[in-house]
Amino acid sequence: VGMSRGGGNRTANSGRNRGDQSSDRKHQIYFTDDDRIKRALKIVKKMEAWARKTQLQQWNGKGMNDDLSNDDEDDSYSDEFLEGYDSGENDDENEDGTVIDNDKDDEESQEFGMHDQPARVQSTSFQLRQHNKSRDLDVEVYNAVLLAWAKEGRGDHSASVMRLLDKMESLADELGMPSVLPNKRSYNTALDIISKAASNAETPLADYYENDNNVGNRDGGSVTKNGGQTTDFRPLYAGRAAESILGKMLDRGMRPDAYTFASVLNTYQRIPNGRLDAALAADAVVRGMESLHLHGRIDQPPDVFHYTMVCACWSRSGEQGVAGERCSEILRHMHERDKAGYPRVRPNIRTYNAVIDAHAYSGRVGEAEDMLFSMLDSYESSAARSIDGIEDEEIPVRPDSFSFNTVIQQWARSRTPEGGRRAEYVLERMLKFHYNGNSDVRPDERSFAYIIFHYCKGAGRSAPDAPDRALALIRKMIQMHREGYKELLPSSHNKTNPIFAFTSVIDAHSILRRPDSGVVADELLAAMEKLGDNIEALKPNTYVYLSVLYAWSSCGTVEAGERAVALLQHMEDDMKAAAERGEDSMLRTTQRCYILAQTAWARSPSMNKAEGALKVLKMMEAQYDSGNDEAMPTVQAYAMVINACAFADMVQDENGRLVKAPREIQMRAFKIAEEMIDRLRGEPYPDVAPVSMAYGTFIKCCGKLNLPKDISMKSTTRIFKYCCREGLVSDFVLTQLRYALPRDKFAEVLAESGYEDVNIMDKENKRVRWANIPSYWTRNVNSSKNNKY
């Protein structure tokens, strides 16, 4: 919104017209709405100053000319205001946004010969003209400012509105000018501003009520500080401000209309931290409205919108039991008033939804479901009678998508295991209702996402068939989306991001280590990649690929390692292609990506698991060397290769059975493990050095694999002595050593390494007494980084 400001030269006796003046303007200044309001308030302030000057002088018992010509009388406003008028700050504004020069009035007066008049006459004429301008100060001047605040829509002007209304009342009392008292338009505009600003958690009304001098007490509220504590209004400043305006209207004999009461109720509905207090206050407003109409003080009784807003306040109150019961009472009361003949009070779908919402969010989901199905059965029965030619006098209320989704959401969020099945049943009724001709009652992404969440991460995740039910739901979503239900998979991110629905189903299979988790993950990944061509929110990213890699690392199938490597390779290729285009890839690999791929190899009964885990490590090293800092190899990456080698003793044969791996495969795995532990001891990267778990895993490798005894015992003894010297002997290391060596050799190695109580060791199970272990063996166990990877 722009407003030009003149910058051209002006002369006192210029006779040029307005067009000539505007042509001399050298630049324009553009003002925001807030700037315009501030400038308007400055003008209003000067009008108030002149009103005080002229009104007080006029009613002082003197003649008008004597008062206006008395230059010796002390007036704190006149000099300031005259200075402002002379400086050009009092320029008005044309409709096109250009500035009107009010000095032109003085120039024209000189053209008409007023400069030839005596000085006293000139002064009296000028001041009389300014006095006439003060008569333009009335309520509509202030209403213009209020309307500007209402349209501005950015800042919170609620406190400014209250102060302006207070100023209008005080000015009317001070100067005896009832023309500036707020009228119905003033109050309704103020209520609209306060209502819109009520959702702000931090409101300037707090300062208005607590810090302004006794302002809070004007509407009968209590903000008096006793012993440093402030009472009342704490969470409901906006609501109390709205009610104070309503009270002023009633005190002045005005008849507030339905819109006025709706604004007050809407204020309570929008207060973020009102909860029970807001619900009680809104309830009292409607009951008061009924009483006022009964006694003839207002023209319109409360209608369906007023009662519905009260129910909405109760549904947001969080009062379990009380909220739902009170909403049901209001619903019954509305039916009673409707039968009694009150207009526009019959409950509509918004009313029923508010009552359902109150029951559902109060933990009474069963009552909410009963109300939904009762409403649904009534409407379907009426529709069936209508087909038979029987028309009901009153068409029952028809449930909408919100009605179904509210019950679905709360069943899915319930802590009962059967909540998912109840939610599924409501979804089935919704789809049946939709297919029976109610095309606008359609499921959206929330209808499915809530139930999927229940089976994957909620109370229903413990059910054995939970992953299967979640998978069936997401397959149904994909199918319906292909049939044209585009709202099931929105094109942009929102509160129920569809990516989370897909990854939740994948994770639900992975957590249970189901053999089909990798296949399910690949199926959903393929669906996401296809849908992602048209749906931005479903384009797979690193987070999605991590879920898929987790699935393959959990399934334990023979192809898991190879599939994990293929996924890593696809991610690296995408990164390379994006770099060539000068873009950032959505599939950037991280340390966890490679660790999960190594885990997939370790749990796979493949003959190539040791080589596969080593390949992943080399891919990780190559990525880091190419500049991907997020792929820096860690001690865990090296230890995971050793772990894969330790489990290379079992493979899957052509019949799908687990059998012992050939000795050459096990020997090959041992060589890779030995290479890894030696590389770790050489610290290949900063802070990448052996830890207790790495030493223990290598000793486990020596004990599990079918190796020649001399190689096994020699390697075990060597690594254990390294472990002792570095102070990394843990309970895990000693446990693996106990199983890797024969009993006599175990005692011998302990003695050679400095254990002095070999004779009192429990020889039956070869356990070492932890209290007798030399302290230097364990000196770095607790302080070692990544001791448990």
Side-chain angles (χ1 to χ4, degrees):
V1 180
M3 184 177 73
S4 58
R5 177 72 170 144
N9 297 324
R10 297 189 220 155
T11 58
N13 295 309
S14 173
R16 290 176 294 180
N17 59 30
R18 297 288 184 184
D20 294 334
Q21 289 182 2
S22 60
S23 65
D24 286 343
R25 304 190 189 279
K26 295 182 179 179
H27 65 278
Q28 289 183 328
I29 300 176
Y30 293 91
F31 296 100
T32 64
D33 289 346
D34 189 53
D35 293 333
R36 286 174 173 268
I37 294 171
K38 289 179 180 178
R39 291 173 64 83
L41 286 172
K42 288 183 179 179
I43 296 173
V44 172
K45 183 177 180 181
K46 292 174 181 179
M47 294 178 71
E48 291 170 352
W50 268 101
R52 286 189 174 91
K53 177 182 176 66
T54 56
Q55 289 291 107
L56 292 176
Q57 289 177 345
Q58 180 180 1
W59 310 123
N60 202 21
K62 302 179 181 179
M64 177 68 71
N65 290 340
D66 292 339
D67 290 334
L68 294 176
S69 62
N70 189 357
D71 296 332
D72 296 332
E73 186 173 327
D74 184 19
D75 192 327
S76 59
Y77 295 104
S78 57
D79 292 338
E80 176 187 354
F81 190 72
L82 287 172
E83 181 181 354
Y85 249 77
D86 292 339
S87 66
E89 291 185 4
N90 300 294
D91 293 348
D92 296 326
E93 186 179 328
N94 274 323
E95 293 181 358
D96 61 357
T98 58
V99 172
I100 301 173
D101 185 6
N102 284 328
D103 292 343
K104 183 72 165 55
D105 294 338
D106 297 328
E107 295 167 5
E108 291 174 351
S109 68
Q110 294 178 19
E111 288 181 2
F112 285 101
M114 289 197 67
H115 58 278
D116 297 328
Q117 299 294 330
R120 176 182 174 84
V121 175
Q122 292 184 39
S123 175
T124 302
S125 176
F126 172 74
Q127 293 182 12
L128 180 59
R129 184 158 33 83
Q130 299 307 321
H131 170 69
N132 291 336
K133 286 188 176 183
S134 75
R135 296 176 183 171
D136 296 332
L137 179 64
D138 60 10
V139 65
E140 294 306 323
V141 172
Y142 294 97
N143 284 349
V145 177
L146 290 171
L147 286 171
W149 271 328
K151 293 179 180 179
E152 195 267 336
R154 293 183 180 179
D156 186 344
H157 305 294
S158 53
S160 301
V161 165
M162 295 300 292
R163 292 188 178 100
L164 187 64
L165 294 177
D166 292 337
K167 181 193 290 187
M168 294 168 69
E169 294 173 355
S170 63
L171 191 64
D173 293 339
E174 176 187 351
L175 303 181
M177 292 178 60
S179 61
V180 298
L181 278 173
N183 58 16
K184 193 172 182 179
R185 185 184 182 194
S186 312
Y187 288 130
N188 279 335
T189 305
L191 284 171
D192 182 57
I193 296 170
I194 293 170
S195 174
K196 290 178 180 177
S199 59
N200 298 329
E202 299 294 331
T203 172
L205 284 171
D207 181 70
Y208 170 79
Y209 277 114
E210 294 182 3
N211 298 330
D212 284 15
N213 294 328
N214 296 322
V215 171
N217 292 326
R218 292 178 182 176
D219 54 32
S222 174
V223 294
T224 306
K225 296 183 178 179
N226 298 321
Q229 295 183 347
T230 306
T231 61
D232 209 352
F233 297 140
R234 178 61 61 185
L236 301 176
Y237 293 114
R240 300 308 186 197
E243 279 204 63
S244 71
I245 292 175
L246 179 61
K248 291 175 182 179
M249 295 178 71
L250 293 169
D251 291 342
R252 290 185 54 196
M254 297 182 182
R255 302 178 73 84
D257 55 17
Y259 174 82
T260 304
F261 284 93
S263 296
V264 177
L265 292 171
N266 190 38
T267 301
Y268 281 117
Q269 186 178 348
R270 294 167 64 92
I271 293 176
N273 56 350
R275 299 182 69 80
L276 178 60
D277 291 337
L280 291 171
D283 205 312
V285 169
V286 169
R287 284 186 277 110
M289 189 178 180
E290 291 179 355
S291 176
L292 290 169
H293 179 261
L294 182 64
H295 291 86
R297 297 189 62 186
I298 60 175
D299 299 324
Q300 299 168 306
D303 58 28
V304 60
F305 299 105
H306 299 100
Y307 290 110
T308 300
M309 281 190 279
V310 176
C311 290
C313 289
W314 276 111
S315 70
R316 298 179 68 243
S317 68
E319 294 297 314
Q320 292 194 3
V322 177
E325 186 60 36
R326 179 55 186 153
C327 286
S328 294
E329 291 176 359
I330 293 173
L331 186 64
R332 290 192 293 270
H333 181 63
M334 293 174 69
H335 282 297
E336 292 170 358
R337 288 177 69 87
D338 179 51
K339 292 179 180 178
Y342 286 94
R344 300 183 304 278
V345 75
R346 183 178 301 164
N348 58 20
I349 184 56
R350 292 180 178 271
T351 313
Y352 278 95
N353 282 343
V355 179
I356 290 173
D357 197 51
H359 281 297
Y361 279 87
S362 298
R364 304 173 64 176
V365 193
E367 286 85 343
E369 184 185 73
D370 291 342
M371 179 169 289
L372 169 64
F373 288 161
S374 175
M375 184 167 47
L376 181 61
D377 293 339
S378 297
Y379 183 82
E380 289 179 335
S381 299
S382 176
R385 289 192 296 272
S386 178
I387 294 175
D388 295 336
I390 304 173
E391 297 293 339
D392 294 338
E393 293 183 5
E394 297 179 7
I395 299 177
V397 176
R398 186 183 67 136
D400 60 10
S401 299
F402 181 88
S403 312
F404 289 96
N405 281 335
T406 300
V407 180
I408 290 173
Q409 179 184 9
Q410 293 311 309
W411 272 128
R413 287 183 175 179
S414 66
R415 298 181 180 181
T416 57
E418 67 273 11
R421 294 179 183 271
R422 298 289 293 270
E424 280 193 81
Y425 179 66
V426 176
L427 178 59
E428 291 173 4
R429 291 289 302 268
M430 182 184 190
L431 292 174
K432 181 181 178 181
F433 188 64
H434 167 72
Y435 292 135
N436 285 340
N438 301 281
S439 58
D440 59 323
V441 182
R442 302 160 62 95
D444 57 23
E445 79 278 9
R446 296 171 299 174
S447 309
F448 289 87
Y450 293 142
I451 311 176
I452 291 172
F453 176 86
H454 174 84
Y455 284 129
C456 297
K457 299 183 182 298
R461 67 183 183 275
S462 58
D465 61 343
D468 297 319
R469 288 185 169 274
L471 180 61
L473 285 166
I474 206 162
R475 284 172 174 167
K476 180 70 173 177
M477 283 181 70
I478 297 172
Q479 177 189 347
M480 292 185 66
H481 181 269
R482 290 170 179 167
E483 293 173 355
Y485 295 84
K486 303 302 182 183
E487 63 271 22
L488 293 179
L489 297 172
S491 58
S492 59
H493 293 279
N494 55 27
K495 291 183 178 179
T496 55
N497 192 329
I499 276 185
F500 296 144
F502 282 78
T503 55
S504 295
V505 176
I506 296 173
D507 293 343
H509 285 74
S510 305
I511 289 172
L512 297 179
R513 294 194 180 182
R514 292 175 48 137
D516 62 341
S517 59
V519 176
V520 169
D522 269 2
E523 175 194 340
L524 296 183
L525 176 62
M528 292 178 71
E529 288 175 338
K530 187 174 181 179
L531 292 167
D533 294 337
N534 300 315
I535 303 175
E536 183 70 23
L538 273 179
K539 285 186 176 180
N541 52 23
T542 299
Y543 175 80
V544 174
Y545 271 75
L546 280 170
S547 289
V548 180
L549 285 168
Y550 178 45
W552 281 112
S553 72
S554 303
C555 65
T557 58
V558 69
E559 72 274 13
E562 294 176 356
R563 284 296 305 135
V565 170
L567 290 169
L568 282 179
Q569 190 62 57
H570 178 73
M571 295 176 74
E572 291 183 354
D573 292 344
D574 186 85
M575 290 173 60
K576 184 178 179 180
E580 292 174 354
R581 298 191 303 267
E583 302 173 356
D584 292 330
S585 172
M586 294 178 64
L587 303 179
R588 192 171 184 83
T589 56
T590 63
Q591 292 174 344
R592 180 161 173 77
C593 295
Y594 295 98
I595 298 299
L596 287 173
Q598 289 179 317
T599 306
W601 276 113
R603 291 175 177 169
S604 168
S606 171
M607 293 185 179
N608 302 316
K609 65 166 56 180
E611 292 83 358
L614 178 60
K615 179 180 179 180
V616 173
L617 175 62
K618 291 180 178 179
M619 293 174 68
M620 190 178 191
E621 292 175 332
Q623 267 296 306
Y624 178 68
D625 294 340
S626 67
N628 184 4
D629 292 339
E630 296 181 39
M632 178 181 176
T634 62
V635 62
Q636 183 181 6
Y638 289 90
M640 286 301 297
V641 178
I642 301 173
N643 186 60
C645 295
F647 289 92
D649 60 324
M650 300 295 291
V651 295
Q652 184 175 301
D653 64 8
E654 61 274 9
N655 297 321
R657 296 175 301 181
L658 287 178
V659 298
K660 278 288 183 180
R663 190 166 188 176
E664 59 271 17
I665 292 178
Q666 299 189 51
M667 192 63 193
R668 205 164 60 226
F670 173 75
K671 292 295 184 182
I672 293 174
E674 197 171 36
E675 177 189 351
M676 290 299 102
I677 198 66
D678 291 339
R679 287 188 62 185
L680 264 180
R681 297 196 71 250
E683 295 192 22
Y685 294 95
D687 294 330
V688 179
V691 295
S692 179
M693 290 294 290
Y695 280 128
T697 303
F698 181 81
I699 295 173
K700 180 179 182 178
C701 182
C702 296
K704 278 182 65 69
L705 297 178
N706 185 13
L707 306 173
K709 283 190 176 182
D710 57 334
I711 294 178
S712 174
M713 287 191 291
K714 182 180 178 181
S715 298
T716 301
T717 302
R718 177 174 69 93
I719 293 302
F720 180 71
K721 289 181 178 179
Y722 286 149
C723 190
C724 293
R725 285 199 295 268
E726 294 172 15
L728 294 173
V729 177
S730 64
D731 183 67
F732 175 72
V733 171
L734 289 175
T735 300
Q736 298 307 317
L737 183 69
R738 175 165 57 100
Y739 289 115
L741 296 176
R743 181 171 59 187
D744 296 339
K745 186 62 176 177
F746 176 65
E748 180 184 335
V749 170
L750 290 179
E752 290 176 358
S753 301
Y755 187 72
E756 299 177 352
D757 298 327
V758 177
N759 295 330
I760 62 174
M761 185 175 63
D762 188 346
K763 295 183 179 180
E764 182 178 351
N765 56 21
K766 300 181 291 183
R767 289 194 64 84
V768 178
R769 295 185 178 182
W770 190 257
N772 299 329
I773 289 179
S775 59
Y776 69 90
W777 282 15
T778 61
R779 65 186 184 278
N780 294 323
V781 171
N782 294 330
S783 61
S784 175
K785 293 182 179 179
N786 298 322
N787 223 12
K788 293 184 178 181
Y789 50 84

